[in-house]
């Protein structure tokens, strides 16, 4: 059931809805509309997987695993937590999670922006392939593992094996790092880094400055150097 | 010498001496009605490892023949862009685990296979982002939502898969299984036997597609008899790609005889499919089978090893 409220925001009561029924609710909504989704069970996996709606979506609950897999265009905000694999293969748009995130946040995400205000579990940005990801709270182990490109910003440190197997992209970290993988080196912030980092911090509404961050990149392959 | 040589399709008593092709239908409609997204194919053949560059000037003809026969072709969507609509076959897209989901490819495909092999290392396994095997069903459900409601989704697994993994797969929301056999026929015979046995109890309608390099028609038929719902014919067609196509010969003549060259290429491709199709019809007639699946009842082993691995009787039993 959906009904229009005074402030042009639609509300969908998702209590008891299956994934297909929920998708059907979105199908008829005009682009650019603001939609609040209430009553969604966190047992429901794959919420809005493959979503191609240019909508502003607000979820007032926590979400199950693999939410927003390969989503495009949507501007999403989640007031609760998200389980494993949120933003997997994200293509574009933005996702803001006000709670905590499970493991494999934004795994293989190819585009768009994903921010978490709480903590995140292991393997944040696993195989990241172009998206921008920011986690304000502490992250678990193996952040940026197998990362190919894109940007990870960690606002409160992380666990062991940062950047394990990463071959591209950059990880900016403020706070303590448990350990760094052998294939990763820490470096100085370049001008391009400061611009990129500042933009992401502003976008996330964080007031900290880029000077408190260090950057980690994959070590250059000697054979590829000129 | 392959283990398939130790298998035999036994003629039924009073089988026709001469082929009775004219009395049989010329196409097969294959549909697994038990699945939520039935996989439909015009016959038990598919082409999966033949690229436009490999097929050269014969690519359009190959696509046309596959389209006419309702057979599956694995290729990227841009490989079909320049073809007329009528020549576009049903397209299978293969998404490896451990990679970004390729949205355009997935959403435009007629059939999607999730191949449980990491492309960089070629190691077989579940997606790395699955914390536990229990999460795989949820992952597959999410992928189904990504690809669309009606596109069949299958799982590609190594032929050496163990019983525990088979049992797990059967419980997942998939519409077919693909077995990757390459040239390891012993494993294929064993896996097909075990898989069919498990499926017969739990999901008898779940199709099994088989990827193999097998080249001979007889061997392809034996794989179907073993329980393969469809099998790749890339090995069988490979002979054709080794011959230069008429248009690939280049030079002055190419620009002046396009219609005849196209016709010759077309005959070659069409002829191979006709031969394949007739081979299947003949086998069905000889064994009195009304569907390719029924060939299994006529399959006999010549050795105890083949009988044990394939789970079929020895000849004379």
């Amino acid at each position: 059931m959906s009904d229009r409220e005074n402030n042009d925001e639609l509300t969908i009561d998702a209590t008891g809805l299956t994934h297909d029924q929920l998708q059907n609710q979105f199908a008829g909504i005009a682009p650019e509309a603001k939609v609040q989704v209430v009553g969604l069970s966190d047992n429901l996996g794959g919420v809005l997987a493959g979503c191609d709606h240019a909508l502003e979506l607000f979820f007032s609950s926590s979400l199950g695993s693999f939410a927003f897999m390969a989503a495009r265009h949507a501007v999403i905000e989640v007031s609760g937590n998200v389980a494993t694999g949120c933003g997997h293969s994200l293509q574009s748009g933005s996702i803001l999670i006000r709670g905590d995130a499970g493991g494999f946040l934004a795994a293989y995400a190819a585009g768009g922006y994903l921010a978490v205000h709480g903590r995140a579990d292991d393997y944040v940005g696993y195989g990241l392939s172009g998206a921008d990801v920011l986690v304000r709270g502490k992250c678990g182990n193996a952040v940026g593992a197998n990362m190919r490109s894109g940007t990870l910003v960690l606002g409160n440190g992380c666990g062991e094996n940062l950047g394990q197997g990463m071959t591209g992209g950059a990880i900016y970290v403020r706070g303590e790092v448990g350990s760094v993988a052998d294939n990763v080196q820490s470096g100085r912030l370049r001008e391009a880094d400061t611009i990129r980092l500042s933009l992401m911090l502003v976008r996330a509404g964080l007031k900290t400055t880029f000077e408190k961050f260090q950057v980690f990149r994959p070590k250059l392959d000697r054979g590829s150097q000129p | 010498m392959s283990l398939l040589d130790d298998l035999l399709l036994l003629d039924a008593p009073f089988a026709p001496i001469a082929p009775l092709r004219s009395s049989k239908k010329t196409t097969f409609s294959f549909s697994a009605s038990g699945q939520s997204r039935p996989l439909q194919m015009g016959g038990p053949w598919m082409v999966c490892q033949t690229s436009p560059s490999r097929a050269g000037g014969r690519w359009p003809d190959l696509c046309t023949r596959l389209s006419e026969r309702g057979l599956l072709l694995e290729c990227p969507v841009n490989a079909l862009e320049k073809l007329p609509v009528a020549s576009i076959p049903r397209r299978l897209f293969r998404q490896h685990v451990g990679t970004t989901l390729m949205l355009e490819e997935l959403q435009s495909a007629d059939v999607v296979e999730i191949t449980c092999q990491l492309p960089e290392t070629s190691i077989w396994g579940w997606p790395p982002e699955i914390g536990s095997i229990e999460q795989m069903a949820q992952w597959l459900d999410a992928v189904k939502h990504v690809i669309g409601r009606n596109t069949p989704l299958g799982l590609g697994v190594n032929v050496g898969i163990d019983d525990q993994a088979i049992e797990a797969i059967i419980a997942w929301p998939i519409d077919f299984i693909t077995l990757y056999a390459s040239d390891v026929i012993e494993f294929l015979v064993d896996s097909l036997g075990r898989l069919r046995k498990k499926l017969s109890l739990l999901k008898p309608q779940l199709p099994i597609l088989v990827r193999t390099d097998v080249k001979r028609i007889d061997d392809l038929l034996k794989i179907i008899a073993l329980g393969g719902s469809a099998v790749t014919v890339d090995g069988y067609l490979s002979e054709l790609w080794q011959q230069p196509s008429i248009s690939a010969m280049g030079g002055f003549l190419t620009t002046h005889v396009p219609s005849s060259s196209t016709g010759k290429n077309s005959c070659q491709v069409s002829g191979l499919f006709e031969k394949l199709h007739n081979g299947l019809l003949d086998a069905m007639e000889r064994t009195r089978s009304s569907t390719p699946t029924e060939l299994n009842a006529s399959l006999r082993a010549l050795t105890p090893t083949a009988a044990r691995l394939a789970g079929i009787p020895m000849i004379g039993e």
Side-chain angles (χ1 to χ4, degrees), chain B:
Chain B
M1 190 75 178
S2 137
L3 192 66
L4 291 175
D5 293 329
D6 293 342
L7 303 175
L8 177 74
L9 276 169
L10 203 62
D11 288 358
F14 311 113
I17 297 166
L20 299 171
R21 268 171 231 144
S22 57
S23 65
K24 287 267 187 178
K25 58 183 178 179
T26 53
T27 58
F28 298 100
S29 179
F30 172 76
S31 172
S33 57
Q35 309 314 124
S36 59
R37 304 177 184 202
L39 175 67
Q40 293 184 319
M41 299 168 76
W45 321 117
M46 54 184 190
V47 176
C48 291
Q49 289 164 337
T50 305
S51 61
S53 59
R54 191 173 183 209
R58 297 185 180 93
W59 178 253
D61 296 317
L62 174 68
C63 294
T64 305
R65 300 306 147 219
L66 292 171
S67 172
E68 285 170 356
R69 291 177 179 273
L71 301 178
L72 273 185
L73 170 69
E74 181 203 332
C75 69
V77 68
N78 63 12
L80 303 175
E81 274 175 357
K82 292 179 181 171
L83 296 174
V85 175
S87 295
I88 296 177
R90 288 170 55 74
R91 189 175 73 89
L92 181 146
F93 178 68
R94 190 160 61 127
Q95 170 80 51
H96 281 272
V97 298
T99 57
T100 302
L101 296 182
M102 299 176 73
L103 207 51
E104 278 74 19
E105 294 283 357
L106 289 168
Q107 292 184 338
S108 61
D110 298 297
V111 178
V112 171
E113 177 196 300
I114 300 293
T115 311
C116 295
Q117 186 184 36
L118 295 169
E120 291 172 2
T121 59
S122 297
I123 293 172
W124 290 89
W126 309 128
E129 63 271 29
I130 303 301
S132 65
I133 204 163
E134 288 75 26
Q135 279 188 334
M136 188 66 181
Q138 287 181 317
W139 187 88
L140 286 165
D141 257 337
V143 172
K144 277 195 163 185
H145 295 311
V146 171
I147 66 176
R149 291 181 190 177
N150 300 317
T151 309
L153 175 71
L155 207 60
V157 296
N158 186 18
V159 77
I161 188 166
D162 61 34
D163 284 351
Q164 196 180 354
I166 288 174
E167 281 168 20
I169 288 173
I170 291 172
W172 292 339
I174 55 168
D175 306 300
F176 63 93
I177 295 174
T178 305
L179 274 180
Y180 279 71
S182 185
D183 55 355
V184 273
I185 298 302
E186 283 71 15
F187 282 136
L188 172 63
V189 172
D190 174 47
S191 295
L192 263 176
R194 286 185 294 121
L195 197 48
R196 268 288 163 230
K197 197 173 169 185
K198 296 267 184 198
L199 285 177
S200 65
L201 300 172
L202 301 163
K203 273 190 188 174
Q205 296 288 334
L206 193 71
I208 304 171
L209 312 186
V210 179
R211 289 182 183 246
T212 169
D213 298 334
V214 161
K215 292 182 176 174
R216 294 186 303 177
I217 294 178
D218 282 355
D219 288 345
L220 292 167
L221 294 173
K222 285 173 189 173
I223 290 171
I224 292 168
L226 280 165
S229 309
V231 59
T232 51
V233 293
D234 300 80
Y236 168 73
L237 294 173
S238 63
E239 188 184 317
L240 186 59
W241 315 136
Q242 285 157 12
Q243 304 163 14
S245 68
I246 305 299
S247 60
M249 288 177 183
F252 176 80
L253 276 175
T254 311
T255 55
H256 290 267
V257 286
S259 56
S260 63
S261 65
T262 306
K264 284 176 186 173
N265 284 338
S266 179
C267 283
Q268 290 171 321
V269 177
S270 188
L272 280 179
F273 275 105
E274 199 59 35
K275 205 171 151 187
L276 197 58
H277 187 66
N278 288 339
L280 177 61
L281 286 177
D282 286 347
M284 288 170 62
E285 282 173 356
R286 282 192 287 107
T287 57
R288 298 272 189 222
S289 306
S290 56
T291 65
T293 313
E294 289 180 15
L295 289 172
N296 180 263
S298 303
L299 197 64
R300 295 289 182 274
L302 299 174
T303 63
T305 305
R308 180 175 52 81
L309 288 176
I312 56 169
M314 286 277 290
I315 191 159
E317 280 183 9

Side-chain angles (χ1 to χ4, degrees), chain A residues 168-221:
Chain A
I171 306 176
Y172 303 99
V173 187
R174 187 186 71 167
E176 194 179 329
V177 175
S179 69
V180 179
D182 291 343
N183 58 299
V184 173
Q185 61 186 359
S186 121
R188 292 173 52 195
L189 290 177
R190 301 170 193 156
E191 191 179 352
D193 291 319
T194 61
I195 294 169
R196 186 97 192 119
L197 185 51
S198 299
L199 283 171
M200 285 188 65
L201 293 172
V202 167
R203 192 171 184 185
L206 299 181
K207 291 178 181 168
T208 184
T209 57
F210 60 79
E211 286 90 350
K212 295 179 180 177
F213 283 83
Q214 50 185 328
V215 61
F216 297 88
R217 292 190 180 84
K219 286 178 182 170
L220 287 173
D221 178 6

Side-chain angles (χ1 to χ4, degrees), chain A residues 114-175:
Chain A
L114 197 154
V116 177
H117 279 194
R119 294 169 300 165
D121 214 333
D122 297 343
Y123 295 103
V124 169
Y126 185 93
L128 197 73
S129 301
D132 295 329
V133 180
L134 182 146
V135 181
R136 194 170 175 177
K138 190 167 176 72
C139 291
N141 297 323
V143 171
N146 291 336
M147 183 173 164
R148 301 286 172 263
S149 61
T151 311
L152 280 177
V153 178
L154 313 183
N156 194 17
C158 62
E160 310 291 325
N161 263 329
L162 177 73
Q164 178 188 350
M166 78 181 283
T167 55
I171 306 176
Y172 303 99
V173 187
R174 187 186 71 167

